[in-house]
Amino acid sequence: MFRVLILTVFLVACSVHIVIDLLPRLERRNSSTSSRSPQTPACSCPRGPGEEAPGWAAWPNKHTLRLLQDFSNEPGSNLTSHSREKASTAEAPSRVDNQHQNHHQQQDQRARPGLEDPLLLLSDEFARVCSLHRHGQEKDGDYAPTGDLSSDSYPNWLRFHIGINRYELYSRHNPVIDAMLKDLVTQRITSVAMKSGGTQLKLIMTFQNYGQALFKPMKQTREQETPPDFFYFSDFERHNAEIAAYHLDRILDFRRVPPVAGRLVNMTKEIRDVTRDKKLWKTFFISPANNICFYGECSYYCSTEHALCGKPDQIEGSLAAFLPDLALAKRKTWRNPWRRSYHKRKKAEWEVDPDYCEEVKQSPPYDSGTRLLDIMDMTIFDFLMGNMDRHHYETFEKFGNETFIIHLDNGRGFGKHSHDEVSILAPLSQCCRVKKSTHLRLQLLAKEEYTLSALMEESLQRDSLAPILIHPHLEAMDRRLRLVLQVLADCIEKEGYSSVVEDDLASEGMDVATDTRR
C-alpha cells in the first residue's frame, strides 16, 4: 500500500511539472495569434540593425553568440566578408526578378565584364538586406528598399560589390567609391563584434544600411616608429597604414585595395553600447585617468597592459569596406612565393637561393598569364610602404588564375621611415619582370611635377583623420621609388628592355601618362 501511495505521488508531481512547463508556451502562442492581424503574416526575420541595441545587462542567447563569432572559414585571410547573420531569404515578386534579370543583361554588354552573373550572385545578399527590413521598422536616414531596383537605388556598399570585375575592385573614375568613403565615416554603427583569427584585435562593424567594415583601432601615434629590435611578425598593426595603403594603391593605379577611411569612434556609444559580443564587452574598463579602455581577445597585445584607451572615450581607427560575402563570391588564398620564414633564426628559401625565381616561373599559376607580374606590382607596393608582412594573398575564385591580386591587410606598413628594407624587393631583382603600365607610372611619379609624396599628401588630406602620415614617411616613399627604378634600370641593362618590361597596354588601350591625379 505504501509503495502504491509513493508511485501515485510521483506521477502527480510529474504531471504538475509538465503542465507548468507547457502553460507559458501556450500563453505566448495564444497572445501572438490574437495580436497578429489577419493581413499581417508572422515575421521570422532576425533583429535588424535599426532596432535599439541592448544595454550593459541584455545579452543574446548562446546560439546567437555563436553566429556572431562565426565570421571566417578562411584562416589565412585577415579580411573576410562572412556576414554575421545568415537571414532567411525572402521571396521576391516576379516583377523584381525580371528587373534583376534585365539589369544583369545590360551589365553583360559592357566592354569589361564584371563578376560573372553579378546580380545573380548578389541576389541572395540583397534579399538578406530586404528581409531584415520588417514593416514599420525603418528609421529616418536608414536605407529602405523601394519599388525602384535600379542600381542607383542600391546602398553604396552593394554598388561597390557589383562593380568588381576580373581586372580591378573598382573603375578609375567610379563615383561610388567617394560615396563609400563618406558612408564609412558617417553611417550610424548598429552592431560590433570581434573578428575571429588574426594576431591583433580587429572589430567588425555593421552600419544602418547593412554595410560592414573592418575596424582597426589606433595603437601608435603618427610619430612613433617600429622599435629596431621588433621582428616584422610582432610589429603593431597601424590604422593610419591601412588608410595610407588605400591611397597609395589608387595613385599607383592598381585599385586592388578595398576602400578605407579613417573615423573617430565613440567607444561608449558606438562600440560598448551596441556590441552583442559578450567577450568584447567584458574587457571594457575605466583607467586611472578616467578614460574608457578595452582590449578584446587576440594573440598579441590583447591585455590590460596593451589596452586601447580613448580621450576620454574617443578613439581613432581605420574602417575598410568588406568585400562580397564568401558565399556569393568565394576567394582563394595563395601562399606568397616570397613569404618570409616568420622565425627568429631561420631564413626562407628565396633568401639563400639567388635562382629562386626560375623555380617559381615553372610552377602554376606563375608559369602563364599575369600572376607573376601581379606579384611584382605587389612587391613594389609593399616596398614603398615598408611592409614585410605579406605571407599570403587572395584572388576571386570565380575568375580563375587570370585575375588581379587583392591587396589586403596592410597595417604593418609605414612603420619605419628611417630605414628602407631592400629585401622586400627580392622578387623584382630576382625575376627582372614588370608591367609596362607599372613602369611608366613609376617613371611619371618620379618627375618633379608628379612626385609621389606630393600626390600622397594631397590625396590623404581628404581623409577625416588627416594628416595621416608625417613628412618623413612621405619623403621615404620618394626615396624608395628611386630605388625601385634603379633596380629596374639594372635589369634592363642586363637583360634588355623587351625581356624585362611586359607590354600590357596594347590589349587594354590604356594611357597612364595622361591620367595621374585621381
Side-chain angles (χ1 to χ4, degrees):
M1 186 65 183
F2 180 73
R3 292 181 181 178
V4 173
L5 181 61
I6 293 296
L7 181 60
T8 303
V9 172
F10 176 74
L11 290 174
V12 170
C14 289
S15 301
V16 170
H17 277 288
I18 292 172
V19 171
I20 290 173
D21 185 57
L22 288 177
L23 273 176
R25 302 185 187 182
L26 291 172
E27 288 174 1
R28 286 197 300 267
R29 193 172 185 181
N30 292 334
S31 62
S32 63
T33 304
S34 60
S35 62
R36 191 185 307 151
S37 64
Q39 292 83 10
T40 306
C43 181
S44 60
C45 300
R47 188 177 76 86
E51 293 182 4
E52 185 178 352
W56 279 71
W59 294 111
N61 57 39
K62 292 182 179 179
H63 176 67
T64 306
L65 281 175
R66 283 198 297 271
L67 290 176
L68 284 170
Q69 293 158 6
D70 182 21
F71 297 118
S72 174
N73 64 356
E74 289 286 349
S77 168
N78 282 333
L79 181 57
T80 183
S81 59
H82 255 323
S83 300
R84 271 205 243 349
E85 301 171 10
K86 296 294 182 180
S88 57
T89 305
E91 278 190 46
S94 58
R95 177 175 58 83
V96 175
D97 290 336
N98 291 335
Q99 289 183 5
H100 272 271
Q101 186 176 0
N102 293 337
H103 185 76
H104 166 57
Q105 290 172 353
Q106 294 173 6
Q107 295 276 344
D108 280 347
Q109 295 173 1
R110 295 181 180 177
R112 301 182 80 183
L115 280 168
E116 279 87 339
D117 245 351
L119 290 180
L120 183 61
L121 284 172
L122 290 164
S123 60
D124 288 342
E125 184 166 353
F126 189 65
R128 176 177 67 86
V129 172
C130 294
S131 70
L132 287 169
H133 265 287
R134 295 200 292 254
H135 178 66
Q137 195 177 2
E138 296 85 356
K139 297 183 179 179
D140 292 341
D142 283 5
Y143 164 71
T146 65
D148 179 15
L149 286 180
S150 66
S151 60
D152 291 340
S153 69
Y154 294 161
N156 291 316
W157 60 266
L158 187 56
R159 295 170 68 191
F160 162 59
H161 289 178
I162 292 172
I164 296 172
N165 59 61
R166 182 184 298 276
Y167 309 100
E168 59 202 4
L169 285 177
Y170 55 91
S171 59
R172 189 173 291 142
H173 300 292
N174 189 345
V176 173
I177 301 306
D178 287 337
M180 268 280 295
L181 294 173
K182 184 178 179 181
D183 283 352
L184 291 172
V185 178
T186 60
Q187 280 279 319
R188 179 165 53 85
I189 299 168
T190 58
S191 65
V192 177
M194 289 186 292
K195 181 189 180 298
S196 59
T199 58
Q200 298 184 34
L201 179 67
K202 294 178 277 287
L203 302 178
I204 295 180
M205 293 186 168
T206 302
F207 304 115
Q208 66 190 50
N209 67 352
Y210 306 102
Q212 291 181 310
L214 190 74
F215 179 78
K216 290 190 177 182
M218 177 178 178
K219 294 187 177 75
Q220 286 185 319
T221 64
R222 308 289 195 275
E223 294 73 27
Q224 285 179 295
E225 276 197 285
T226 301
D229 292 326
F230 266 41
F231 284 99
Y232 52 88
F233 49 81
S234 58
D235 191 9
F236 290 106
E237 292 186 11
R238 289 165 283 274
H239 73 299
N240 60 320
E242 292 285 359
I243 301 167
Y246 162 71
H247 288 263
L248 176 60
D249 173 84
R250 202 169 182 178
I251 288 172
L252 291 174
D253 205 34
F254 292 156
R255 300 187 297 282
R256 299 166 196 169
V257 175
V260 182
R263 177 166 176 165
L264 194 63
V265 173
N266 186 306
M267 297 165 62
T268 304
K269 295 179 180 179
E270 296 182 305
I271 299 180
R272 189 196 69 187
D273 290 352
V274 298
T275 185
R276 294 175 62 85
D277 189 331
K278 194 170 184 179
K279 291 182 179 179
L280 172 63
W281 179 83
K282 282 182 174 180
T283 66
F284 276 85
F285 65 93
I286 298 176
S287 72
N290 285 324
N291 294 322
I292 301 294
C293 305
F294 75 102
Y295 51 87
E297 286 188 358
C298 62
S299 303
Y300 295 168
Y301 310 123
C302 281
S303 63
T304 308
E305 294 76 22
H306 296 98
L308 305 165
C309 296
K311 296 181 180 180
D313 59 357
Q314 304 285 316
I315 188 169
E316 288 186 12
S318 63
L319 279 164
F322 265 28
L323 294 173
D325 193 287
L326 292 175
L328 306 172
K330 291 182 180 179
R331 301 198 300 271
K332 186 170 183 179
T333 301
W334 305 79
R335 181 187 173 95
N336 184 1
W338 280 270
R339 180 185 188 274
R340 295 179 181 273
S341 65
Y342 287 82
H343 193 276
K344 296 181 181 67
R345 291 177 296 276
K346 293 180 181 178
K347 289 189 175 183
E349 185 179 351
W350 59 267
E351 294 180 277
V352 295
D353 183 4
D355 298 322
Y356 177 76
C357 184
E358 295 304 316
E359 297 178 21
V360 175
K361 287 179 182 178
Q362 297 172 15
S363 306
Y366 309 102
D367 57 348
S368 62
T370 62
R371 182 62 61 83
L372 185 65
L373 293 168
D374 288 338
I375 291 286
M376 301 303 116
D377 284 349
M378 186 171 66
T379 295
I380 294 168
F381 176 62
D382 283 337
F383 179 68
L384 294 175
M385 295 190 296
N387 179 27
M388 302 171 67
D389 186 37
R390 188 69 68 182
H391 45 83
H392 289 81
Y393 63 87
E394 294 186 27
T395 61
F396 284 106
E397 190 176 287
K398 188 75 176 178
F399 300 137
N401 292 337
E402 297 300 322
T403 187
F404 64 96
I405 291 173
I406 310 171
H407 295 164
L408 299 174
D409 197 17
N410 306 297
R412 284 185 170 143
F414 298 103
K416 296 179 181 179
H417 54 73
S418 57
H419 172 72
D420 301 330
E421 186 55 52
V422 182
S423 65
I424 301 174
L425 284 179
L428 192 65
S429 59
Q430 289 179 1
C431 297
C432 279
R433 296 288 303 281
V434 70
K435 293 178 183 177
K436 186 176 182 179
S437 60
T438 301
H439 191 215
L440 289 176
R441 193 76 169 185
L442 296 177
Q443 289 176 319
L444 196 63
L445 293 171
K447 293 181 180 294
E448 187 175 351
E449 60 269 34
Y450 295 114
T451 56
L452 177 58
S453 58
L455 290 178
M456 277 290 290
E457 186 174 24
E458 178 184 336
S459 184
L460 290 170
Q461 283 298 323
R462 303 172 190 171
D463 194 89
S464 63
L465 298 182
I468 303 301
L469 295 176
I470 59 174
H471 275 281
H473 279 299
L474 297 171
E475 294 167 357
M477 282 192 287
D478 287 337
R479 184 177 68 243
R480 291 164 186 166
L481 175 59
R482 291 192 292 269
L483 289 174
V484 173
L485 289 172
Q486 184 58 53
V487 169
L488 289 174
D490 293 342
C491 287
I492 292 171
E493 182 179 357
K494 181 175 62 176
E495 300 186 16
Y497 183 87
S498 59
S499 298
V500 175
V501 181
E502 179 79 21
D503 189 357
D504 64 322
L505 298 178
S507 59
E508 297 188 20
M510 297 169 58
D511 185 4
V512 295
T514 60
D515 188 12
T516 304
R517 293 178 182 265
R518 318 214 183 285

